[in-house]
């Protein structure tokens, strides 16, 4: 089987260099590495060419989904593996993806596990175990059929897809731009077409998480926008229904807390604690196991990210309904 690796990039030259060098030293080497540049100004495409990668150009800032689709169109592999330029795969990443396909012949998409590449940073450590972690971690193998399981997410920073899947499902939807939920969108469309997805703990990728609170909050605002697009396109998905229910509950509790703040401050605080309680429970095992004081801040940070996501979601939802882009 030929393996094509597709990497969308914009202004990430240093990490891109490390990534390509890593891919060239994999235990199972790819047939080709395709770097799709989306308007870099720091020499990213030149570095990719020097490393021996095939370089394509989107001719403007069209977003990573447009870039991935362009990579798929120009690939020759039987399996298309996707990774982001700010990631570092394990040495056997490609081999692990291929083994998963071989051991599960009914599967057409493999989604792998992703952890922080910069755990020395406080926010990166937090994001790795946040209730809203942006990177999926699978302890066991999980097969998806027809729809997502509740609480399951996938990410294109660690995913491989049999090329023939694109013939029936189409390409990545550029409507999502950089907002997020684009990976969930593609996989959901594949599931509805009858393809089976394997969520696997074996293919491992390390991702450089954002390291400043302002950048993290901005990213979760974008995640909220992406989910609003997903909801409009796929309102009956388990993912849509579960997130809407959670957001409705949280919006209700936050609104109630604000309304009673001027009447009964104590009741307002108790309402906020009611929101923080599930977050605290989620992180309790970390507090007990690792005994790190910083973990006590995680529930509050989770709440900040939840609010940022809700604001982004409402902002996008109130905008003009997006038109479906040709994919």
């Amino acid at each position: 089987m030929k393996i094509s690796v597709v990497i969308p990039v914009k202004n990430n030259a240093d990490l891109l260099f490390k990534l390509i060098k890593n891919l060239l030293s994999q235990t199972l080497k790819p047939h080709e590495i395709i770097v799709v540049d989306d308007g870099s100004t720091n020499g990213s495409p030149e570095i990719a060419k020097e490393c021996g990668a095939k370089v394509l150009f989107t001719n403007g800032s069209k977003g990573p989904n447009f870039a991935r689709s362009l990579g798929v169109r120009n690939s020759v592999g039987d399996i298309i593996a996707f990774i982001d330029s700010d990631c570092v795969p394990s040495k056997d990443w490609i081999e692990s993806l291929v083994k998963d396909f071989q051991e599960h012949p009914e599967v057409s998409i493999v989604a792998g596990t992703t952890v922080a590449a910069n755990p020395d940073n406080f926010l990166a450590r937090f994001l790795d175990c946040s209730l809203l972690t942006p990177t999926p971690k699978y302890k066991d193998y999980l097969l998806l059929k027809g729809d997502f399981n509740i609480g399951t997410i996938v990410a294109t920073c660690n995913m491989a897809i049999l090329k023939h899947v694109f013939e029936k499902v189409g390409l990545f939807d550029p409507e999502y731009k950089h907002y997020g939920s684009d990976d969930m969108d593609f996989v959901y469309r594949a599931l509805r077409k009858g393809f089976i997805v394997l969520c696997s703990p074996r293919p491992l990728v390390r991702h450089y998480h954002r390291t400043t609170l302002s950048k993290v909050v901005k990213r979760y605002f974008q995640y909220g926008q992406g989910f609003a697009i997903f909801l409009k396109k796929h309102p009956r998905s388990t993912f849509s229904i579960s997130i809407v229910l959670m957001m409705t509950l949280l919006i209700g509790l936050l609104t109630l807390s604000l309304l009673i703040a001027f009447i009964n401050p104590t009741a307002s605080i108790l309402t906020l604690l009611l929101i923080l309680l599930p977050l605290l429970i989620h992180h309790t095992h970390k507090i007990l196991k690792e005994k790190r004081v910083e973990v006590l801040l995680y529930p509050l940070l989770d709440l900040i990210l939840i609010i940022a996501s809700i604001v982004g979601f409402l902002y996008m939802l109130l905008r003009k309904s997006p038109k479906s882009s040709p994919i």
Side-chain angles (χ1 to χ4, degrees):
M1 276 186 153
K2 293 180 179 178
I3 314 298
S4 297
V5 179
V6 174
I7 310 166
V9 66
K10 183 174 182 179
N11 292 332
N12 205 9
D14 292 340
L15 290 178
L16 178 64
F17 175 79
K18 294 178 182 178
L19 171 57
I20 295 175
K21 288 298 183 183
N22 179 293
L23 292 172
L24 292 173
S25 63
Q26 287 276 303
T27 55
L28 179 62
K29 293 177 175 55
H31 179 76
E32 62 181 352
I33 299 172
I34 302 174
V35 173
V36 188
D37 187 77
D38 194 34
S40 294
T41 57
N42 70 344
S44 294
E46 288 77 16
I47 285 177
K49 287 180 181 178
E50 291 174 6
C51 292
K54 180 193 292 187
V55 179
L56 305 173
F57 297 88
T58 64
N59 297 320
S61 298
K62 296 183 179 178
N65 300 298
F66 184 94
R68 292 187 186 100
S69 295
L70 184 61
V72 171
R73 289 192 186 101
N74 289 273
S75 64
V76 298
D78 305 296
I79 298 174
I80 316 298
F82 297 93
I83 192 169
D84 290 346
S85 61
D86 55 355
C87 291
V88 180
S90 60
K91 289 293 183 181
D92 63 345
W93 177 61
I94 293 176
E95 183 179 358
S96 296
L97 290 168
V98 171
K99 283 183 178 179
D100 279 335
F101 280 116
Q102 291 173 338
E103 294 174 9
H104 300 85
E106 75 278 19
V107 165
S108 299
I109 299 175
V110 174
T113 289
T114 305
V115 298
N118 49 344
D120 54 318
N121 179 270
F122 164 67
L123 284 175
R125 290 194 298 273
F126 155 68
L127 287 172
D128 227 22
C129 57
S130 168
L131 185 65
L132 281 74
T133 182
T135 50
K137 298 163 187 64
Y138 311 116
K139 294 181 179 180
D140 300 301
Y141 288 98
L142 172 66
L143 286 175
L144 301 180
K145 299 179 182 180
D147 201 345
F148 292 107
N149 292 8
I150 294 177
T152 302
I153 60 171
V154 296
T156 41
C157 64
N158 186 1
M159 186 181 294
I161 303 171
L162 298 181
K163 192 170 184 179
H164 71 82
V165 173
F166 293 99
E167 297 172 5
K168 292 187 177 180
V169 176
L171 297 168
F172 294 98
D173 191 342
E175 180 70 41
Y176 287 89
K177 298 181 181 177
H178 54 271
Y179 297 131
S181 290
D182 46 309
D183 28 33
M184 300 291 287
D185 176 277
F186 182 87
V187 170
Y188 179 71
R189 286 188 282 127
L191 289 168
R192 299 306 293 169
K193 289 287 186 179
F195 292 106
I196 299 174
V197 178
L198 175 67
C199 298
S200 171
R202 184 155 53 181
L204 178 66
V205 161
R206 292 178 172 82
H207 175 266
Y208 283 93
H209 293 324
R210 287 162 176 78
T211 56
T212 64
L213 186 58
S214 60
K215 289 182 179 179
V216 172
V217 170
K218 178 181 177 181
R219 188 64 186 133
Y220 275 79
F221 176 80
Q222 293 171 334
Y223 286 152
Q225 291 176 280
F227 173 65
I229 297 173
F230 184 95
L231 175 63
K232 289 180 179 181
K233 293 178 181 291
H234 312 295
R236 296 184 180 181
S237 165
T238 299
F239 179 61
S240 293
I241 294 170
S242 59
I243 298 297
V244 165
L245 289 174
M246 183 185 74
M247 282 193 173
T248 301
L249 176 62
L250 288 170
I251 291 172
L253 288 173
L254 288 170
T255 303
L256 178 63
S257 177
L258 289 173
L259 289 175
I260 64 177
F262 298 103
I263 304 171
N264 190 334
T266 302
S268 178
I269 293 172
L270 289 175
T271 305
L272 284 174
L273 289 176
L274 186 61
I275 299 172
L276 287 170
L277 183 59
L279 305 178
L280 183 61
I281 293 172
H282 172 74
H283 294 290
T284 296
H285 72 285
K286 281 275 182 185
I287 297 173
L288 297 176
K289 182 179 178 181
E290 301 185 13
K291 298 179 180 178
R292 287 187 284 124
V293 177
E294 68 177 42
V295 180
L296 295 172
L297 295 175
Y298 289 4
L300 179 59
L301 290 171
D302 264 339
L303 181 59
I304 291 172
L305 299 190
I306 287 170
I307 293 172
S309 301
I310 290 174
V311 173
F313 170 74
L314 294 175
Y315 171 77
M316 182 61 79
L317 202 63
L318 294 173
R319 290 177 60 181
K320 183 179 178 181
S321 179
K323 298 178 180 178
S324 296
S325 302
I327 51 176

